[in-house]
């Protein structure tokens, strides 16, 4: 969370011109890098401030993963104009956030990687921008990359605008070429410049000035900032009128109800942070406290004569997972927060700031159904909870099925895979098994670009298989398309698992003996318990194995034979991989230091009984 500077500026020093622009793109195309460079160049870094890369991706998870999770506002002064820039996340799970925050902008920078070209999320965000009537500037980024193809990518993007029904005016977009990483933007990719001023000038020349609307106050709360000290801070663009600190206002809720309230503190964006102000003018983007229990989409309006603004669309969750307390034999060994009360409080607290998340009670006080926008959206919460010291268990992720006109419908996604030509048939096989339909197959540089339509169910767990089949070379991206009638059963995980019979420490000798039965997820010395999943079986059924037995030391040469052991390194799952791996009768056990897989029923007889029961149903 950027630091708030408590400078009391009387008024925004520059009352004349404001430009509001959102920067949108597919994941990893370089948005945050570009915004950082713009900030850098507009000289916002005082000498003692860290000037490392990607200062904007400021929470731990964002930094570690190199992705943006939350949209962020920054602001620079350039040639006497204030430019508010909204950096958005590129991952499909956060697409709803992009659509929403775009409401605060009068134009967008569409960033496209000069090698990859338009990807599924490029199409999605551009579609939203075009429909919302925004003017765009195309930035073809990463032209420093070898094998990049800026001209071809430019033509592809033009076709995309055309196919998305852009107006004549929108089709007439300016194009800027450059390298965010190297910090330059230019009209021509063959002639690098030394800075990003060409882009800033293009913004000033092409993005309309924020209109100054006279009249009573109207701000729609579009996003929120969260501070552990202040709590929730509303963020929105002043559509009409001016806003002042301590001003009495009326809040028009989504359902039309009106709530009297008062603005407390008021901030505008400045560089990476915010500054406290006494008033802010029409067209600017501001943040404020004082409105109790606000919701996204609420309009903050005149105290006497409130006028609401049209409600905005908020994305529905697409996936759910059962979160339950840890009841494995190792519960409480690692975490600080382990009870159902802890879990409940933490999940409901999350709802205050996580806009696309929902939590539902189940029949049991130990379990909650958590609804989110996809695996990444849910895993970000889980990873955060681990770091805070929680232990919990997760059930298999489920896509949300809808009944439409009496017919069972499921979410369908567009999936693109870029892969070396020789691996393309393997990818097509894997995707077809999961009810994917091939739409397009064409060359892209020295790769083959393949596009499919596939049920969301089929994508869960697919990435791992595709990467294995292509020696890690495939680049995959997917994006929700629509709900369509149920496509029928999809084969689940093909392999069975190896399940531990005993409690204790895994022994190298025993693991070694079982290596022909499958691949292990544990290594010697790891503590395991009965019912824990310790490997993948080479056959489709599950196998209970004992890996806690030491070799019987019958003679002195025993240690010599141990030297011959060549244990294949264990398969280490990331959190997301674990979430995608498990089946309906399994859990992922999460603690601050461990990710373990287990059967829900730890005891073999019970497992069999419950399995038969399920089959009978
Ligand atoms: N070669 C090259 N790499 C770049 C360039 N711009 C960004 N990158 C790299 O691309 C990766 C992604 O950059 P980010 O700026 O985090 O991308 P982003 O679009 O903000 O990603 P999300 O927020 O996750 O959607 C980083 O490793 C950058 O260093 C560029 O111009 N050239
Ligand atoms: Mg980013």
């Amino acid at each position: 969370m950027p630091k708030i500077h408590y400078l009391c500026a009387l008024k925004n020093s520059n009352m004349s011109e404001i430009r509001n622009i959102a920067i949108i793109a597919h994941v990893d195309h370089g948005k945050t890098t570009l915004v950082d460079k713009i900030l850098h160049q507009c000289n916002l870094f005082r000498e003692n401030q860290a000037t490392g890369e990607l200062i904007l991706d400021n929470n731990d998870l964002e930094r570690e993963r190199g992705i943006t999770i939350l949209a962020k506002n920054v602001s620079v002064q350039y040639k006497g104009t204030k430019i508010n820039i909204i950096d958005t996340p590129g991952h499909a799970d956060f697409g709803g956030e992009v659509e929403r925050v775009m409401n605060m902008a009068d134009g967008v920078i569409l960033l496209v990687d000069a090698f990859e070209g338009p990807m599924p999320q490029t199409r999605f965000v551009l579609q939203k921008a075009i429909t919302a009537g925004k003017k765009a500037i195309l930035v073809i980024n990463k032209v420093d990359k070898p094998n990049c193809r800026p001209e071809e990518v430019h033509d592809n993007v033009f076709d995309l605008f055309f196919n998305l029904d852009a107006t004549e005016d929108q089709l007439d977009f300016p194009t800027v070429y450059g390298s965010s990483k190297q910090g330059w933007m230019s009209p021509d990719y063959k002639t690098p410049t030394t800075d990003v001023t060409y882009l800033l000038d293009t913004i000033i020349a092409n993005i309309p000035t924020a209109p100054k609307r006279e009249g009573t106050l109207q701000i729609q709360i579009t996003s929120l900032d969260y501070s552990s000290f202040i709590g929730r801070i509303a963020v929105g663009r002043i559509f009409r009128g001016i806003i002042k600190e301590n001003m009495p206002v009326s809040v028009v809720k989504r359902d039309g109800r009106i709530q009297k309230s008062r603005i407390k503190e008021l901030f505008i964006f400045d560089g990476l942070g915010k500054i406290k102000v006494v008033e802010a003018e029409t067209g600017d983007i501001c943040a404020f406290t004082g409105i109790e229990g606000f919701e996204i989409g609420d309009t903050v309006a005149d105290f006497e004569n409130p006028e609401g603004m049209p409600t905005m669309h908020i994305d529905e969750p697409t996936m759910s997972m059962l979160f339950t307390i840890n009841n494995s034999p190792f519960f409480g060994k690692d975490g600080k927060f382990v009870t159902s009360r802890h879990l409940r409080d933490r999940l409901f607290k999350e709802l205050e700031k996580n806009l696309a998340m929902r939590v539902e009670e189940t029949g049991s006080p130990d379990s909650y159904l958590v609804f989110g926008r996809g695996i990444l959206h849910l895993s970000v919460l889980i990873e955060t909870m681990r770091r805070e010291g929680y232990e919990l268990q997760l059930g298999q992720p489920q896509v949300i099925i809808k009944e439409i006109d009496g017919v069972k419908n499921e979410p369908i996604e567009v999936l693109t895979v870029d892969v070396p030509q020789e691996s393309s048939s393997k990818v097509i096989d894997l995707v077809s098994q999961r009810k994917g339909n091939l739409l397009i197959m064409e060359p892209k540089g020295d790769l083959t670009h393949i596009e499919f339509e596939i049920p969301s169910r089929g994508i869960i767990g697919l990435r791992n298989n595709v990467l294995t089949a292509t020696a890690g070379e495939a680049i995959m991206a997917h994006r929700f398309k629509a709900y369509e009638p149920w496509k029928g059963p999809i084969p689940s995980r093909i392999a069975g698992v190896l399940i531990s019979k005993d409690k204790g420490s895994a022994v190298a000798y025993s693991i070694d003996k079982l290596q022909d039965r499958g691949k292990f997820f544990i290594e010697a010395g790891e503590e395991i318990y009965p019912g824990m999943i310790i490997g993948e079986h080479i056959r489709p059924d599950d196998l209970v194995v004992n890996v806690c037995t030491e070799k019987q030391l019958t003679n002195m040469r025993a240690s010599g034979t141990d030297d011959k052991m060549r244990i294949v390194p264990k398969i280490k799952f990331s959190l997301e991989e674990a979430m995608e791996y498990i089946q309906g009768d399994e859990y992922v056990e999460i603690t601050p230091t461990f990710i373990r897989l287990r059967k829900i029923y730890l005891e073999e007889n019970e497992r069999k009984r419950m399995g038969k029961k399920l089959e009978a149903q």
Side-chain angles (χ1 to χ4, degrees):
M1 156 108 215
K3 214 161 90 200
I4 298 170
H5 305 281
Y6 283 89
L7 296 179
C8 271
L10 256 182
K11 248 182 198 180
N12 179 0
S13 60
N14 186 321
M15 291 293 292
S16 52
E17 295 249 296
I18 296 174
R19 299 288 202 286
N20 296 315
I21 192 158
I23 171 157
I24 59 176
H26 186 73
V27 66
D28 266 0
H29 281 194
K31 297 173 289 296
T32 306
T33 310
L34 178 59
V35 178
D36 267 0
K37 285 287 158 36
I38 295 175
L39 279 166
H40 202 92
Q41 215 139 86
C42 292
N43 243 340
L44 279 149
F45 296 87
R46 273 175 253 127
E47 272 153 41
N48 57 356
Q49 268 180 303
T51 48
E53 270 174 45
L54 298 181
I55 301 154
L56 255 194
D57 280 342
N58 51 22
N59 79 41
D60 288 352
L61 277 184
E62 288 184 320
R63 278 172 179 278
E64 274 169 35
R65 294 175 178 230
I67 55 165
T68 303
I69 295 168
L70 291 172
K72 289 178 198 72
N73 287 81
V74 302
S75 180
V76 297
Q77 295 282 344
Y78 179 72
K79 293 190 178 162
T81 298
K82 174 174 187 174
I83 308 176
N84 286 313
I85 305 170
I86 308 159
D87 182 27
T88 66
H91 194 282
D93 282 16
F94 310 119
E97 170 113 342
V98 183
E99 182 180 0
R100 208 167 15 81
V101 299
M102 217 147 52
N103 281 323
M104 293 190 279
D106 295 304
V108 297
I109 293 176
L110 177 73
L111 200 80
V112 183
D113 180 308
F115 170 75
E116 285 197 343
M119 296 291 279
Q121 190 67 1
T122 315
R123 184 185 177 96
F124 173 80
V125 290
L126 181 61
Q127 166 85 78
K128 299 295 177 190
I130 286 175
T131 313
K134 310 286 181 204
K135 179 97 195 163
I137 295 171
L138 172 62
V139 172
I140 297 193
N141 189 37
K142 305 200 187 185
V143 300
D144 59 287
K145 273 182 45 183
N147 302 332
C148 67
R149 28 184 210 114
E151 277 156 33
E152 214 178 314
V153 167
H154 174 269
D155 294 348
N156 296 153
V157 178
F158 185 87
D159 291 346
L160 185 60
F161 269 80
F162 189 79
N163 293 334
L164 294 173
D165 290 329
T167 61
E168 281 295 315
D169 187 42
Q170 285 172 326
L171 271 178
D172 191 22
F173 56 84
T175 304
V176 176
Y177 296 88
S179 165
S180 300
K181 196 168 176 177
Q182 297 175 346
W184 61 268
M185 290 288 144
S186 161
D188 172 15
Y189 68 93
K190 292 185 198 121
T191 330
T193 62
T194 52
D195 56 30
V196 295
T197 47
Y198 180 71
L199 174 61
L200 295 170
D201 289 330
T202 310
I203 294 175
I204 303 281
N206 290 275
I207 300 302
T209 312
K212 305 226 173 288
R213 298 191 181 86
E214 308 267 323
T216 56
L217 177 65
Q218 271 188 321
I219 300 184
Q220 189 159 42
I221 300 179
T222 310
S223 94
L224 67 83
D225 231 344
Y226 194 85
S227 137
S228 36
F229 304 111
I230 311 177
R232 301 163 86 221
I233 305 169
V235 177
R237 173 200 172 136
I238 308 161
F239 180 75
R240 191 179 70 192
I242 54 172
I243 179 171
K244 298 179 181 175
E245 66 173 3
N246 294 321
M247 178 185 196
V249 291
S250 288
V251 180
V252 186
K253 309 291 290 179
R254 286 176 80 90
D255 60 7
R257 270 180 308 125
I258 291 175
Q259 185 184 306
K260 300 288 178 197
S261 191
R262 184 183 286 274
I263 304 292
K264 258 180 152 155
E265 291 182 304
L266 177 66
F267 308 90
I268 55 173
F269 291 89
D270 182 48
L272 262 178
K274 306 188 198 70
I275 50 171
K276 195 168 179 300
V277 289
V278 294
E279 91 176 34
E281 59 167 334
T282 174
D284 207 349
I285 296 174
C286 67
F288 48 92
T289 62
I291 315 286
E292 288 290 319
F294 68 80
E295 289 162 301
I296 297 300
D298 290 354
T299 308
V300 176
D302 188 53
F303 184 76
E304 299 290 344
N305 294 307
E307 287 169 70
M309 292 174 63
T311 49
M312 68 176 100
H313 168 78
I314 296 177
D315 264 0
E316 292 293 315
T318 54
M319 188 173 274
S320 74
M321 266 180 109
L322 188 77
F323 281 44
T324 180
I325 56 163
N326 188 6
N327 64 357
S328 92
F330 292 168
F331 105 96
K333 283 195 173 187
D334 195 30
K336 278 190 288 187
F337 306 116
V338 296
T339 66
S340 42
R341 183 86 234 169
H342 287 140
L343 181 64
R344 185 196 159 83
D345 290 351
R346 180 62 183 84
L347 290 177
F348 281 94
K349 182 150 185 53
E350 183 68 16
L351 299 182
E352 284 182 11
K353 55 177 169 176
N354 203 329
L355 300 171
M357 200 159 270
R358 305 273 175 280
V359 177
E360 260 179 29
E361 315 252 1
T362 64
S364 151
D366 294 342
S367 304
Y368 298 86
L369 265 181
V370 179
F371 295 79
R373 296 283 306 163
I375 295 277
L376 181 66
H377 182 214
L378 291 165
S379 79
V380 165
L381 167 63
I382 298 160
E383 188 57 45
T384 309
M385 290 175 68
R386 286 182 81 193
R387 286 161 194 234
E388 292 167 353
Y390 285 83
E391 285 191 9
L392 68 151
Q393 298 183 121
L394 310 167
Q396 186 187 30
Q398 305 289 338
V399 301
I400 293 173
I401 306 297
K402 277 188 190 166
E403 186 134 325
I404 302 175
D405 299 331
V407 179
K408 182 174 169 186
N409 273 248
E410 66 172 326
I412 304 292
E413 308 203 27
V414 174
L415 166 74
T416 64
V417 187
D418 291 343
V419 71
Q421 202 251 320
E422 62 273 17
S423 314
S424 55
S425 63
K426 285 189 216 153
V427 172
I428 294 171
D429 270 359
L430 278 169
V431 178
S432 311
Q433 281 164 19
R434 292 159 175 258
K435 297 272 189 302
N437 275 332
L438 180 75
L439 300 178
I440 297 173
M441 186 162 160
E442 62 194 14
K444 173 168 166 182
D446 39 15
L447 298 178
T448 303
H449 171 84
I450 322 174
E451 238 172 278
F452 305 91
E453 255 177 37
I454 177 174
S456 301
R457 283 181 294 147
I459 293 181
I460 300 176
L462 178 66
R463 179 177 302 268
N464 227 334
N465 289 313
V466 167
L467 288 179
T468 313
T470 60
E473 299 232 47
I475 303 164
M476 265 176 74
H478 56 96
R479 168 80 230 165
F480 173 77
K481 180 185 157 237
Y483 269 88
E484 284 178 16
W486 179 257
K487 305 284 181 229
I490 290 181
S492 54
R493 190 178 67 209
I494 294 158
V497 287
L498 302 176
I499 304 168
S500 171
K501 186 171 172 14
D502 306 279
K503 184 167 177 176
S505 208
V507 172
Y509 165 76
S510 300
I511 295 180
D512 183 44
K513 274 205 317 189
L514 287 163
Q515 289 203 89
D516 57 346
R517 296 306 184 91
K519 297 177 216 144
F520 279 88
F521 306 155
I522 55 154
E523 59 202 3
E526 258 178 71
E527 294 297 319
I528 56 178
Y529 54 80
M532 181 169 151
I533 297 171
I534 57 174
E536 183 172 279
H537 194 193
I538 45 168
R539 299 181 19 156
D541 55 334
D542 294 346
L543 182 69
V544 178
V545 295
N546 174 353
V547 292
C548 295
T549 322
E550 292 284 355
K551 180 178 166 66
Q552 297 295 317
L553 292 180
T554 46
N555 60 45
M556 291 304 287
R557 286 169 53 210
S559 60
T561 36
D562 277 1
D563 287 346
K564 284 196 209 124
M565 281 193 309
R566 281 251 150 51
I567 297 184
V568 181
K570 71 169 178 180
I571 297 177
K572 203 168 181 263
F573 284 121
S574 68
L575 173 58
E576 280 107 282
E577 284 162 353
M579 288 160 70
E580 295 197 23
Y581 187 79
I582 55 166
Q583 301 294 296
D585 63 339
E586 297 164 357
Y587 279 155
V588 186
E589 179 191 352
I590 305 285
T591 75
T593 23
F594 298 98
I595 296 176
R596 300 190 188 97
L597 308 181
R598 59 167 281 188
K599 287 289 175 182
I600 296 180
Y601 298 103
L602 296 179
E603 225 250 306
E604 196 173 358
N605 287 331
E606 199 182 6
R607 236 175 5 248
K608 283 192 179 137
R609 211 169 52 237
M610 298 314 279
K612 287 213 181 90
K613 220 176 183 179
L614 274 182
E615 265 170 41
Q617 276 171 14

